Amino acid sequence: MQINPFLNNLPVYQPGRPIEEVARELGLPADSIIKVASNENPFGPSPLAVAAMQKAIAGVNLYPDGNAFYLKQKLAAKLGVEPANLVLGNGSNEIIEFVAHAMLGPGDDVVVSQFCFAIYPIVAKMSGANVLTVPARNYGHDLTAMLRAVTPRTKIVFVANPNNPTGTLAAREDLIQFVNDVPDGVLLVMDEAYLEFLDDPVDLVPLIRLGARKNLLLMRTFSKIYGLAGLRIGYGIGESGFIAALEKVRQPFNVNLLAQSAALAALDDQEHVRKTRSNNSLGLAFFERAFRDLKLEFVPSSANFILVRVGHGQKVFEAMQKQGVITRPMGGYQLPEWLRISIGTPQENERSLKALKLAL
């Protein structure tokens, strides 16, 4: 069989390790292990979402609504856009694949930042596109340099704000200028997976609502602050004509019944969102104080995780894992000396810090 040659040098995405896998490997009870590796909500899903799933589960013998009518209606009302401006994905990861299918071919260029989310270059290379990686500035996006990197063959520019895995946030004025300066023929994908953790985020939705930037696609997710990572549900917001093109490459029934039901309910649970955001702010401050006391370099974060320099990321990760604390080594992001720690509950944060000190 002839395998697609674009796959020859394609890396495999390595997710955070599951609790069950670590428990089997180390012979530890699963309930003794905490996972602070994948930026998940430490409080779990919204209670309203859990109740909605319990109610919906009797209907899983039937296919879900392939167009997610009610969820699109609710999201559209919340955002002040039309349902035609929305596309739903099996996690926002699938939206990235939609974009690649719709936009990319061999020889096209894609512009990303150094230390970007690993899926952007992987999906680009799957399509045979060239990945132009712009050096980071203070571990974040150098938006001016990214604009200069755009070529006549550039089809897509990816920007995550806040950025994963570094947690950096672009300055408001710089971001607005950048969005307006990206050429009309280039799609700007703004990944806003961590937007809800910001107190005063830049709201780019009006640019889509008013039709001012037809080359702008915003990506958001229910995986992070809403605590629905295991259901895999995200969405894109864009110009209706472009969204219609993405719908052509979307697989039928890509968002399952329980995911749609939980997301609908989660949108109503603002108390869960408020509690999660408050806990996150306190957790970030806790780790920043601790890292200063330990004289460890870290990147100030605007997301629900923090990046810290520990010397040998893989060894520290393994030492912490033996203590039942799963973190995320950053060697795959060309940051081998660094570790990423998701913000947990206060108790999980204390335990993570204790394990880190012992590992060091």
Side-chain angles (χ1 to χ4, degrees):
M1 296 185 296
Q2 186 69 37
I3 303 297
N4 188 331
F6 298 140
L7 301 183
N8 288 341
N9 299 310
L10 196 69
V12 176
Y13 178 76
Q14 298 294 333
R17 301 196 68 198
I19 287 176
E20 294 78 9
E21 182 178 310
V22 173
R24 287 195 304 269
E25 181 180 298
L26 299 181
L28 297 173
D31 59 5
S32 73
I33 298 172
I34 63 170
K35 182 185 176 190
V36 285
S38 300
N39 311 335
E40 295 146 337
N41 190 322
F43 295 133
S46 152
L48 298 183
V50 173
M53 285 188 284
Q54 290 170 337
K55 183 177 179 181
I57 200 165
V60 296
N61 59 307
L62 304 175
Y63 287 105
D65 176 1
N67 293 311
F69 174 84
Y70 292 106
L71 182 54
K72 282 187 178 179
Q73 290 287 329
K74 195 161 193 171
L75 278 171
K78 175 181 173 67
L79 297 166
V81 298
E82 296 298 322
N85 295 120
L86 299 170
V87 62
L88 298 180
N90 188 248
S92 55
N93 266 32
E94 194 181 31
I95 308 295
I96 302 171
E97 292 188 40
F98 294 165
V99 168
H101 290 317
M103 298 288 294
L104 296 179
D108 291 331
D109 288 344
V110 172
V111 176
V112 300
S113 175
Q114 183 185 17
F115 314 133
C116 71
F117 182 42
I119 297 299
Y120 308 151
I122 288 176
V123 169
K125 291 175 182 176
M126 283 172 57
S127 304
N130 306 309
V131 178
L132 308 181
T133 303
V134 177
R137 183 174 62 186
N138 298 324
Y139 298 101
H141 293 75
D142 186 338
L143 296 177
T144 302
M146 291 183 73
L147 203 57
R148 288 198 301 265
V150 172
T151 72
R153 296 190 305 181
T154 300
K155 294 293 185 67
I156 305 172
V157 177
F158 284 104
V159 173
N161 195 51
N163 184 51
N164 177 26
T166 60
T168 52
L169 184 70
R172 177 179 294 267
E173 297 77 13
D174 294 345
L175 182 65
I176 293 171
Q177 186 69 48
F178 177 77
V179 171
N180 287 321
D181 286 347
V182 171
D184 292 342
V186 176
L187 176 68
L188 172 58
V189 178
M190 290 294 307
D191 189 339
E192 298 183 329
Y194 301 94
L195 183 87
E196 289 92 353
F197 290 99
L198 302 177
D199 292 328
D200 185 26
V202 177
D203 184 6
L204 298 174
V205 174
L207 297 177
I208 293 170
R209 184 186 305 130
L210 301 172
R213 298 303 290 162
K214 295 184 178 182
N215 64 329
L216 175 63
L217 180 70
L218 309 178
M219 294 195 311
R220 297 185 183 177
T221 183
F222 286 90
S223 294
K224 307 304 179 185
I225 206 162
Y226 289 107
L228 303 181
L231 292 175
R232 310 306 300 122
I233 179 163
Y235 57 100
I237 314 164
E239 188 268 329
S240 59
F242 181 64
I243 294 296
L246 298 187
E247 289 285 359
K248 291 182 178 181
V249 299
R250 179 180 65 82
Q251 295 297 307
F253 313 117
N254 66 318
V255 178
N256 69 69
L257 173 65
L258 298 186
Q260 291 185 40
S261 302
L264 264 169
L267 287 172
D268 288 332
D269 199 342
Q270 290 307 303
E271 174 57 25
H272 187 258
V273 170
R274 184 206 62 75
K275 177 184 175 184
T276 302
R277 186 185 292 122
S278 174
N279 176 76
N280 193 69
S281 296
L282 293 173
L284 286 173
F286 167 82
F287 278 115
E288 288 183 1
R289 286 193 303 270
F291 295 156
R292 288 192 186 99
D293 290 344
L294 293 171
K295 295 181 171 51
L296 294 176
E297 181 184 354
F298 65 92
V299 179
S301 176
S302 296
N304 66 335
F305 56 83
I306 191 163
L307 196 65
V308 58
R309 194 170 200 162
V310 295
H312 194 306
Q314 185 65 29
K315 285 186 177 179
V316 173
F317 156 75
E318 291 170 0
M320 293 180 70
Q321 187 174 255
K322 288 177 182 177
Q323 300 175 61
V325 178
I326 309 171
T327 59
R328 191 70 171 272
M330 289 285 103
Y333 283 90
Q334 288 74 57
L335 292 163
E337 296 182 348
W338 296 75
L339 205 66
R340 193 187 69 191
I341 302 175
S342 303
I343 304 303
T345 62
Q347 295 78 14
E348 289 172 337
N349 296 338
E350 292 276 4
R351 184 174 167 192
S352 297
L353 179 61
K354 181 180 178 181
L356 174 62
K357 287 178 179 178
L358 286 172
L360 290 174

